[in-house]
């Protein structure tokens, strides 16, 4: 492996990301170094001049300065163009450091020392807002988990270099002149920002919205709206709370530690040396942790678990200090333990907690993400500073000393609240990922129909409402049968709209409302709409038990009325009436006159979901194509065994109609589909259509058949898996889950092999490019198969959102989709899926996944073609096989021509013709 590839893999950075990562690193390096020199100078000068218990007052002053700075920043960043704004911020930070250096010669009052040290917090805030405002727009959630620790790591070596230099040169320069070095470092960061702004211009043009009127930004609203939005957005509120608690812990720990350091060192140079030495050691630990572990922890543990690392570690170490305090009075041991705690808290906050919190905000839309950054840094961090300042001032006032044990008790309390906050963040994190990608039906349960006013209102609405409104009321009225609902249904029979009257008649029949039979007779006499009259006859014949009355319709000279009468009588509750209708239908079905057979088929078409006749099968196998077509169309959920048996015998003649009829028959068709699938001569095309049909039909019988097929016919697994997905199958049994997870692993291995195929195909050669693209289509098909498997095994709705995100083909939506996969799918399977389909260089994917399929060894294009034409490791699509045959012939690539023989008799005409061409 090349040396640069070694470092990229070590840092978990992809080749195409290295340029921007490197520039962000150096931007943060120089700005961090500048702030480091400022801190070393001001902190040591402050501790030299004032007792340590005055430090909390600096925090209080700094909190108000931070709020003001954050507010002004959030306002100006949307007024001033992006490039100009950030250059101005860098220059402002440099000039302010220079002003502190110059001002120290002219202002001797204590107030200046308080304000100048408090300005360090403002510099740190402005640096964070600027840097993370840039980084947050350059990376998606998947990248941010890997890269935020690396890009922000520039701050750590900067501080290490800064503190180390300060340690060695402060004795010669004095503390104040360290500020000039800080100014120089800050100015050195400008070229790196300019390079980022130029090369990554597309990332900032639309998203950030600087100077763009059409982009909405929460920061343009009033402060009250900002605060309101903060409390209304659960994820931002909870992340901000965690940030506040982590910052508060850092302040408290550092305060206790430096209080004890102050007791050992007495002048500013000694303090500066100790602070520089201690901070240098701290930054080495942070650098190693951040570069090597942060990205990997976030990737392997995920955002949600990683958030527990810092609070749990802190509470364990605080617990050890408390136990040690009770069992030993050695103040030196307590001091060293607290020093270790200070190192751990600082390192974990810089290297783990802050990058993970920032990564957790990445799924938010860009303007929401930037608003969240401003809230966390510009509102909550200042609040943490104010809270800690007041708390520490109060403790010193009460106790008269700085007691480390007391501070530990407060850290335990904050840690408990912190853990609760992490749990609450985790609860809303998945919903945030999902969200980042009708008319209502009423029933009589919502109305009181015995209320005269309600009934009157409904009657008025029947006469004045729009067609959809009237139909909605009609459905509502028919949900329960009572005298008032029957009365209201009668009102619908006089409605001006023929469609409303027709629907009312149908509902009267389906609900078996016998009390409205007289109204139906009135409709027959007075209604001019033939469709309504025909439906009224069907309904009357369905409801009437009086045989002579029915015979009047049945023997009517008008064939349309006779047809309607038979149709209605087939649903009659009285067995004798239904039997009479069946005899009439039998005569029509066996009639020698085509017109009468057509009437019989029209009747069967209308009642196909409730009834079928044994003689129906005769017409399905009729020699007359038109009669056969109508008979097949008359198959429904009421189909008899004889009809379905005759229907499946029509496969190969009228496939499209037969498939539709089998689907209309529903679960009754499953045994007949199974019989066809067991016949060896059934072609692949027919088999696949029938398997898909099982998916459309669904139900337990279909599920059982599909699972059987999955085990006995693994070559057809993509079609079967998609059919199971379409049937809404849920794998709730342990053995089935194990089977489907094995298929997941198998398809991941297949995809790895396809990646290695692509790896050896030269992209500059036309034939290789064609095969490369064909293999890419196969990879996308495997992705779809895996998503279907995930839907069967895990949360179907979440996987549906994943599919939508991946198909959106936008970087942020794809990243959010993969984050959902990581949280929803079994750990190892989800991890491999994300590596396969992330936007990562092909070589990197192959290296990361090769262990899943170690026998892969592709060297030439013809090896890929032979593998495809051998239909290994998957059953390729016809297009891929046709492309392979065509290229092998056109470019005279060496393959075994016997591989082409089976395609000469393929179902697909394209494969046949291409095989003939390739064999010639």
């Amino acid at each position: 492996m090349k040396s640069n590839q070694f470092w990229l893999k070590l840092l978990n950075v992809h080749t195409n990301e290295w340029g921007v990562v490197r520039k962000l690193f150096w931007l943060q390096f120089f700005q961090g170094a500048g702030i480091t020199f400022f801190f070393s100078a001001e902190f040591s000068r402050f501790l030299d001049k004032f007792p340590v218990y005055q430090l909390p007052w600096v925090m209080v002053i700094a909190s108000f300065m931070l709020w003001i700075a954050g507010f002004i920043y959030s306002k100006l960043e949307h007024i001033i163009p992006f490039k100009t704004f950030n250059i101005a911020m860098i220059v402002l930070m440099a000039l302010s450091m220079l002003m502190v250096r110059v001002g120290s010669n002219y202002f001797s009052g204590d107030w200046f020392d308080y304000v100048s040290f408090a300005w360090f917090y403002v510099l740190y805030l402005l640096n964070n807002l600027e840097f993370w405002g840039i980084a947050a727009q350059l990376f998606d959630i998947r990248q941010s988990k890997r890269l935020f620790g690396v890009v922000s790591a520039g701050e750590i070596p900067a501080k290490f270099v800064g503190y180390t230099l300060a340690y060695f040169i402060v004795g010669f320069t004095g503390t104040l002149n360290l500020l000039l070095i800080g100014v120089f470092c800050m100015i050195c960061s400008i070229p790196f920002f300019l390079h980022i702004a130029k090369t990554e211009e597309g990332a900032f043009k639309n998203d950030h919205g600087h100077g763009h009127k059409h982009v909405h930004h929460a920061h343009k609203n009033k402060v009250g709206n900002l605060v309101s939005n903060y409390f209304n957005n659960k994820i931002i509120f909870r992340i901000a709370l965690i940030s506040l608690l982590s910052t508060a812990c850092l302040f408290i720990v550092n305060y206790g530690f430096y209080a004890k350091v102050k007791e050992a060192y007495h002048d500013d140079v000694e303090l500066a040396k100790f602070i520089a030495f201690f901070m240098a050691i701290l930054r080495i630990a942070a650098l190693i942790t951040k570069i090597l572990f942060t990205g990997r922890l976030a990737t392997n543990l995920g955002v949600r678990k990683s958030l527990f690392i810092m609070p749990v570690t802190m509470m364990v170490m605080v617990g050890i200090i408390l136990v040690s305090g009770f069992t030993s009075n050695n103040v030196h041991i307590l001091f060293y333990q607290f020093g270790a705690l200070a190192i751990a808290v600082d390192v974990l906050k810089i290297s783990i907690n802050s990058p993970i919190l920032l990564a957790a905000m990445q799924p938010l839309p860009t303007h929401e993400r930037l608003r969240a950054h401003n809230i966390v840094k510009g509102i909550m961090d200042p609040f943490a500073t104010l809270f800690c300042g007041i708390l520490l001032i109060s403790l010193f006032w009460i106790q008269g000393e700085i007691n480390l044990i007391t501070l530990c008790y407060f850290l335990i309390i904050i840690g408990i609240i912190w853990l609760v906050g992490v749990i609450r963040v985790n609860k809303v994190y998945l919903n945030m990922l999902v969200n980042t990608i009708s008319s209502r039906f009423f029933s009589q349960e919502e109305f009181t129909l015995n209320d005269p006013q309600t009934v009157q209102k409904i009657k008025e609405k029947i006469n004045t409402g729009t067609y959809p409104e009237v139909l909605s009321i009609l459905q509502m009225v028919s949900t329960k049968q009572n005298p008032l609902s029957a009365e209201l249904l009668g009102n619908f029979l006089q409605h001006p709209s023929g469609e409303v009257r027709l629907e009312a008649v149908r509902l009267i029949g389906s609900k078996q409302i016998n009390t409205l039979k007289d109204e139906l007779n009135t409709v027959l006499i007075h209604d001019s709409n033939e469709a309504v009259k025909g439906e009224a006859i069907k309904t009357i014949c369905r409801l009437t038990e009086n045989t002579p009355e029915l015979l009047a319709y049945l023997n009517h000279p008008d064939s349309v009325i006779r047809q309607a009468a038979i149709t209605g009588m087939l649903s009659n509750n009285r067995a004798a009436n239904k039997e009479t209708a069946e005899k009439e239908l039998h005569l029509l079905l066996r009639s020698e006159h085509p017109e009468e057979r057509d009437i019989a088929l029209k009747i069967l078409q209308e009642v196909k979901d409730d009834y079928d006749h044994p003689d129906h099968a005769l017409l399905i196998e009729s020699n007359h194509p038109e009669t056969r077509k109508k008979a097949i169309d008359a198959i429904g959920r009421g189909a008899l065994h004889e009809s379905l048996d005759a229907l499946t015998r029509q496969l190969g003649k009228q496939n499209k109609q037969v498939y539709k009829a089998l689907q209309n028959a529903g679960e009754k068709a499953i045994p007949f589909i199974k019989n066809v699938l067991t016949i060896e001569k059934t072609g692949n095309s027919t088999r696949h259509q029938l398997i898909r049909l099982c998916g459309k039909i669904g139900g337990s019988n279909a599920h059982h058949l599909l699972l059987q097929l999955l085990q006995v016919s693994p070559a057809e697994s993509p079609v079967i898996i998609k059919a199971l997905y379409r049937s809404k199958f849920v794998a709730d049994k342990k053995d089935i889950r194990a089977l489907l997870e094995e298929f997941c692993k198998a398809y991941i291995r297949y995809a790895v092999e396809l990646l290695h195929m692509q790896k050896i195909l030269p992209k500059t050669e036309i034939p290789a490019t064609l095969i490369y693209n064909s293999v890419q289509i196969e990879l996308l098909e495997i992705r779809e198969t895996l998503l279907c498997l995930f839907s069967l095994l895990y949360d179907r709705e979440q996987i549906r959102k994943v599919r939508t995100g991946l198909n959106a083909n936008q970087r942020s939506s794809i990243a959010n989709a993969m984050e959902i996969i990581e949280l929803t799918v079994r750990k190892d399977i989800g991890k491999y899926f994300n590596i396969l389909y992330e936007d990562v260089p092909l070589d990197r994917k192959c290296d990361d996944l090769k262990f899943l399929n170690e026998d892969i060894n592709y060297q030439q294009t013809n090896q890929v073609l032979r593998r495809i034409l051998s239909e290994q490791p998957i059953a390729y699509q016809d297009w891929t096989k046709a492309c392979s045959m065509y290229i092998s012939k056109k470019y005279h690539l060496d393959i075994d021509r016997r591989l082409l023989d089976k395609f000469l008799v393929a179902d697909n005409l394209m494969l046949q013709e291409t095989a003939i061409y390739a064999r010639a």
Side-chain angles (χ1 to χ4, degrees):
M1 182 182 288
K2 295 180 181 178
S3 59
N4 62 325
Q5 290 298 317
F6 169 79
W7 287 109
L8 288 177
K9 192 162 187 179
L10 180 67
L11 299 176
N12 207 15
V13 178
H14 301 149
T15 307
N16 59 328
E17 300 163 342
W18 178 239
V20 67
V21 167
R22 187 174 64 247
K23 286 173 279 188
L24 283 169
F25 178 91
W26 288 112
L27 174 69
Q28 184 72 326
F29 175 86
F30 283 107
Q31 292 191 6
I35 295 172
T36 296
F37 282 111
F38 185 90
F39 174 80
S40 296
E42 291 306 306
F43 190 32
S44 55
R45 286 195 331 111
F46 184 87
L47 286 183
D48 177 60
K49 192 172 181 179
F50 302 101
V52 73
Y53 57 79
Q54 294 298 316
L55 268 177
W57 288 107
V58 176
M59 296 180 189
V60 173
I61 295 168
S63 65
F64 293 102
M65 295 171 67
L66 289 171
W67 274 319
I68 295 170
F71 177 77
I72 295 173
Y73 184 99
S74 65
K75 290 292 182 181
L76 293 180
E77 71 169 333
H78 300 287
I79 298 173
I80 304 172
F82 171 78
K83 185 175 177 181
T84 306
F85 176 77
N86 284 281
I87 289 291
M89 291 307 305
I90 298 172
V91 172
L92 171 66
M93 288 189 284
L95 284 176
S96 67
M97 294 163 68
L98 182 61
M99 290 171 63
V100 171
R101 173 63 185 89
V102 174
S104 62
N105 294 329
Y106 298 98
F107 303 105
S108 57
D110 291 348
W111 67 270
F112 184 78
D113 296 299
Y114 279 91
V115 171
S116 60
F117 185 29
W119 186 251
F120 157 74
Y121 294 96
V122 177
L123 287 176
Y124 196 75
L125 169 68
L126 296 177
N127 168 250
N128 271 273
L129 290 176
E130 178 218 13
F131 179 79
W132 291 112
I134 296 169
Q137 296 174 82
L138 293 174
F139 304 116
D140 57 45
I141 175 63
R142 303 289 300 168
Q143 291 173 307
S144 66
K145 286 164 63 179
R146 286 187 295 106
L147 301 178
F148 273 7
V150 178
V151 297
S152 62
E155 175 188 13
I156 300 173
K159 290 182 176 179
F160 172 71
V161 171
Y163 290 129
T164 304
L165 281 176
Y167 177 81
F168 287 112
I169 68 176
V170 70
F172 304 101
T173 63
T175 53
L176 273 173
N177 289 326
L178 293 177
L179 298 174
L180 298 177
I181 303 174
V183 173
F184 174 77
C185 291
M186 192 63 68
I187 296 298
C188 286
S189 71
I190 293 177
F192 294 98
F193 168 74
L194 291 175
H195 201 196
I196 292 171
K198 181 180 179 180
T199 57
E200 309 296 331
E201 183 179 3
F204 308 113
K205 186 179 295 182
N206 296 321
D207 288 341
H208 201 305
H210 291 299
H212 295 277
K213 294 180 181 178
H214 63 281
V215 181
H216 171 75
H217 296 280
H219 304 299
K220 290 182 179 179
N221 298 331
K222 296 179 180 178
V223 178
N225 290 339
L226 181 65
V227 175
S228 175
N229 290 335
Y230 158 65
F231 282 105
N232 290 334
N233 190 315
K234 289 183 179 179
I235 189 71
I236 294 178
F237 172 77
R238 293 175 186 180
I239 287 175
L241 178 62
I242 290 175
S243 178
L244 181 150
L245 295 171
S246 64
T247 303
C249 289
L250 181 64
F251 283 151
I252 292 172
V253 171
N254 283 342
Y255 171 77
F257 180 65
Y258 287 122
K260 299 306 176 183
V261 170
K262 169 66 175 175
E263 295 175 3
Y265 297 92
H266 303 290
D267 64 64
D268 62 337
V269 172
E270 284 186 345
L271 279 169
K273 283 186 176 182
F274 175 82
I275 292 167
F277 177 76
F278 178 77
M279 289 295 185
I281 298 299
L282 195 66
R283 298 311 153 186
I284 291 175
L287 180 64
I288 295 171
T289 305
K290 200 166 193 177
I291 289 180
L292 298 184
F293 300 112
T294 300
R296 287 175 170 80
L297 279 172
T299 301
N300 294 324
L301 293 180
V303 169
R304 299 195 295 181
K305 291 181 181 178
S306 299
L307 289 174
F308 285 104
I309 294 174
M310 183 178 173
V312 170
T313 303
M314 183 197 75
M315 292 182 71
V316 169
M317 294 186 73
V318 169
I320 292 171
I321 293 172
L322 289 174
V323 171
S324 178
F326 284 118
T327 57
S328 172
N329 295 322
N330 192 322
V331 294
H332 294 292
I333 292 176
L334 190 63
F335 171 71
Y336 291 131
Q337 287 177 333
F338 213 82
L341 175 64
I343 293 173
V345 170
D346 203 311
V347 168
L348 290 176
K349 186 175 192 307
I350 293 170
S351 58
I352 303 290
N353 200 68
S354 293
I356 297 298
L357 281 178
L358 290 164
M361 293 187 283
Q362 284 301 100
L364 292 167
T366 302
H367 73 277
E368 286 285 307
R369 192 187 316 155
L370 297 175
R371 181 169 68 88
H373 288 169
N374 284 354
I375 287 171
V376 169
K377 297 296 180 184
I379 295 178
M380 300 309 287
D381 281 3
F383 186 81
T385 310
L386 178 63
F387 165 76
C388 290
I390 294 174
L391 173 66
L392 296 173
I393 290 169
S394 302
L395 285 177
F396 187 81
W397 181 74
I398 294 170
Q399 294 185 306
E401 64 173 345
I402 298 169
N403 190 305
L404 297 184
I405 297 297
T406 303
L407 295 181
C408 285
Y409 285 125
F410 277 94
L411 289 172
I412 287 289
I413 294 169
I414 294 172
I416 292 170
I417 300 171
W418 189 347
L419 288 175
V420 173
V422 170
I423 293 169
R424 292 179 67 80
V425 165
N426 289 343
K427 285 183 178 179
V428 297
Y429 180 67
L430 182 58
N431 292 334
M432 176 185 65
L433 290 170
V434 171
N435 294 329
T436 304
I437 303 179
S438 66
S439 61
R440 185 175 169 214
F441 174 74
F442 293 92
S443 72
Q444 286 188 42
E445 301 295 340
E446 300 175 60
F447 291 91
T448 306
L449 281 185
N450 57 6
D451 178 8
Q453 291 182 336
T454 303
V455 173
Q456 185 58 37
K457 288 290 183 184
I458 291 175
K459 287 181 178 179
E460 291 174 4
K461 199 65 177 177
I462 291 172
N463 295 322
T464 61
T466 63
Y467 176 63
E469 289 174 333
V470 173
L471 284 184
S472 179
I473 295 171
L474 178 59
Q475 292 287 344
M476 181 273 293
V477 168
S478 65
T479 54
K480 279 188 178 181
Q481 289 190 43
N482 54 52
L484 277 175
S485 65
E487 178 189 338
L488 288 170
L489 277 173
N491 282 44
F492 284 102
L493 294 175
Q494 281 82 47
H495 196 275
S497 169
E499 291 176 317
V500 172
R501 298 198 304 276
L502 183 63
E503 188 63 28
V505 173
R506 286 174 178 159
L507 278 171
I508 290 168
S510 64
K511 300 294 182 180
Q512 301 276 325
I513 305 176
N514 288 285
T515 55
L516 291 176
K517 200 164 60 172
D518 291 340
E519 284 79 354
L520 292 174
N521 285 319
T522 303
V523 168
L524 278 180
I525 297 170
H526 299 290
D527 205 305
S528 59
N529 188 309
E530 292 299 324
V532 175
K533 291 174 74 171
E535 193 64 39
I537 292 171
K538 293 177 197 172
T539 303
I540 289 169
C541 291
R542 182 176 186 173
L543 300 177
T544 301
E545 295 185 0
N546 187 332
T547 303
E549 185 179 343
L550 291 174
L551 291 176
Y553 292 109
L554 200 58
N555 298 321
H556 199 280
D558 189 334
S559 62
V560 175
I561 293 177
R562 290 201 307 274
Q563 177 185 328
I566 294 172
T567 303
M569 289 172 67
L570 287 172
S571 302
N572 197 292
N573 287 333
R574 191 179 178 197
N577 292 336
K578 184 175 181 178
E579 186 178 342
T580 301
E582 287 180 327
K583 289 177 180 178
E584 291 295 323
L585 182 59
H586 167 78
L587 295 174
L588 292 172
L589 286 167
R590 290 182 172 267
S591 173
E592 296 181 357
H593 303 290
E595 298 85 3
E596 292 188 344
R597 291 199 298 270
D598 283 348
I599 291 172
L601 289 174
K602 287 178 182 177
I603 294 170
L604 287 175
Q605 174 72 27
E606 287 199 55
V607 299
K608 64 181 181 181
D609 287 333
D610 302 308
Y611 174 81
D612 192 20
H613 196 282
D615 292 337
H616 187 178
L618 298 175
L619 299 187
I620 291 174
E621 297 184 297
S622 170
N623 294 326
H624 297 89
E626 190 60 31
T627 299
R628 191 165 61 242
K629 178 180 180 301
K630 291 177 181 177
I632 292 172
D633 289 342
I635 290 288
R637 288 192 297 273
L640 294 175
H641 182 280
E642 298 89 338
S643 300
L644 291 172
D645 193 30
L647 180 66
T648 54
R649 288 197 291 270
Q650 298 304 306
L651 283 168
K653 300 175 184 177
Q654 292 176 286
N655 281 2
K656 188 174 181 180
Q657 278 185 278
V658 172
Y659 295 144
K660 184 178 179 181
L662 287 170
Q663 183 177 345
N664 290 338
E667 288 200 72
K668 285 187 174 182
I670 297 298
F672 298 91
I673 293 174
K674 182 178 180 179
N675 291 338
V676 176
L677 290 172
T678 57
I679 300 173
E680 290 186 7
K681 65 179 181 179
T682 304
N684 284 338
S685 177
T686 301
R687 288 182 62 84
H688 293 175
Q689 287 287 357
L690 291 174
I691 290 169
R692 293 187 189 102
L693 196 56
C694 288
K696 293 178 182 178
I697 293 170
S700 58
N701 291 334
H703 295 159
H704 183 68
L705 173 58
L706 290 171
L707 288 170
Q708 278 186 329
L709 290 171
L710 194 59
Q711 296 178 69
V712 301
S713 184
E716 295 175 315
S717 56
V719 183
I720 299 169
I721 289 165
K722 290 175 184 176
L724 279 168
Y725 168 73
R726 183 160 193 171
S727 70
K728 295 182 171 56
F729 174 71
V730 176
D732 51 4
K733 294 183 179 178
K734 187 176 180 180
D735 57 334
I736 295 174
R737 291 185 66 84
L739 172 68
L740 295 180
E741 285 182 343
E742 283 305 312
F743 271 99
C744 289
K745 295 175 183 177
Y747 273 101
I748 287 170
R749 290 195 299 271
Y750 301 156
V752 172
E753 182 168 347
L754 297 187
L755 288 179
H756 281 271
M757 289 182 182
Q758 287 184 321
K759 184 179 177 181
I760 63 98
L761 293 170
K763 295 182 181 178
T764 55
E765 296 181 10
I766 293 174
T769 302
L770 184 58
I771 293 298
Y772 183 97
N773 292 334
S774 298
V775 173
Q776 184 61 32
I777 294 172
E778 301 293 344
L779 280 167
L780 292 176
E781 278 297 305
I782 289 179
R783 186 183 80 178
E784 182 59 28
T785 302
L786 284 168
L787 289 176
C788 290
L789 282 166
F790 295 165
S791 296
L792 306 179
L793 286 162
Y794 311 110
D795 190 321
R796 183 184 182 91
E797 181 60 21
Q798 303 294 4
I799 303 302
R800 184 185 69 80
K801 298 292 177 63
V802 168
R803 181 181 283 103
T804 302
L806 293 175
N807 292 336
N809 208 25
Q810 295 177 347
R811 192 179 73 176
S812 59
S813 61
I814 291 173
N816 289 357
M818 290 184 169
E819 190 70 2
I820 295 173
I821 286 286
E822 187 173 293
L823 297 172
T824 307
V825 177
R826 187 175 127 174
K827 189 71 176 175
D828 56 339
I829 295 172
K831 176 184 176 182
Y832 301 147
F833 177 91
N834 285 345
I835 295 173
L836 276 170
Y837 295 105
E838 257 186 315
D839 184 17
V840 174
L842 182 58
D843 289 350
R844 184 68 175 270
K845 290 183 184 182
C846 292
D847 289 342
D848 288 345
L849 296 171
K850 189 172 182 178
F851 71 95
L852 293 174
N853 202 337
E854 294 181 348
D855 298 330
I856 300 171
N857 184 25
Y858 289 104
Q859 302 295 331
Q860 296 177 327
T861 303
N862 59 350
Q863 289 178 286
V864 175
L865 298 183
R866 287 199 294 267
R867 189 71 165 160
I868 291 172
L869 295 176
S870 300
E871 298 191 270
Q872 297 292 332
I874 60 173
Y876 296 88
Q877 296 186 75
D878 291 341
W879 170 255
T880 304
K881 292 181 283 192
C883 286
S884 300
M885 289 189 285
Y886 173 78
I887 284 170
S888 70
K889 173 68 175 179
K890 184 173 177 64
Y891 296 96
H892 309 291
L893 297 178
D894 180 28
I895 64 167
D896 185 352
R897 297 292 155 181
R898 288 174 296 180
L899 292 172
L900 309 178
D901 292 344
K902 59 185 174 183
F903 301 114
L904 294 171
V905 292
D907 291 346
N908 188 294
L909 185 61
M910 175 184 66
L911 283 179
Q912 287 185 26
E913 293 179 349
T914 311
I916 293 169
Y917 164 78
R919 286 286 288 166

